[in-house]
Amino acid sequence: MRSACLLAASAVVALSACSADPPPPPAPPTDAPPPAAVPAPAPETVTARYDCPSAGIVEIIRDGRFARLRMTDGRIVNLGVIRGSQPPVWSEVGLRFVTTEAGAELSQDNGRTVSCSGTDLPTPASAPAA
């Protein structure tokens, strides 16, 4: 009787293994949502531009709080305004930019001074017609 019980138990296990539902197929990979587009930084509003021959271009930005010097060698230096200066003066370690009635001057602590002249600001690109 004991063998019959074992045989019956084995048959039940075998049948349950055969009748068990197969595991569900793996879910198809879902496309991950595209990463949120990072908007390009808003362009700086340039309120004035000066050409300083052999030194670069100076742009007055951020409501006059900074003067950005784009040097001829590709470097960019931001000069902070000296509050209350008349005429306005922007300065950073070793550099000084001042506007005058005749134009502007960019000078270095080593004594080199370059006369700068105001240039026209680029016109904004016109918006496409709808």
Side-chain angles (χ1 to χ4, degrees):
M1 168 103 166
R2 185 171 182 185
S3 345
C5 288
L6 284 175
L7 185 59
S10 297
V12 169
V13 170
L15 286 176
S16 65
C18 290
S19 65
D21 292 333
T30 58
D31 291 335
V38 177
E44 296 274 11
T45 300
V46 177
T47 55
R49 178 174 281 132
Y50 298 88
D51 180 24
C52 305
S54 76
I57 300 289
V58 176
E59 298 169 321
I60 306 302
I61 58 174
R62 298 186 186 170
D63 298 323
R65 294 189 315 249
F66 293 93
R68 177 174 48 213
L69 169 59
R70 295 178 183 273
M71 301 174 93
T72 55
D73 65 4
R75 291 179 292 165
I76 297 175
V77 179
N78 286 323
L79 311 171
V81 72
I82 297 175
R83 292 183 187 199
S85 58
Q86 259 336 308
V89 176
W90 292 266
S91 181
E92 183 56 46
V93 177
L95 293 171
R96 182 173 178 254
F97 180 73
V98 61
T99 56
T100 64
E101 290 180 18
E105 288 183 350
L106 178 64
S107 60
Q108 292 180 317
D109 282 350
N110 67 6
R112 180 175 178 228
T113 299
V114 176
S115 293
C116 306
S117 57
T119 63
D120 293 332
L121 295 174
T123 57
S126 40

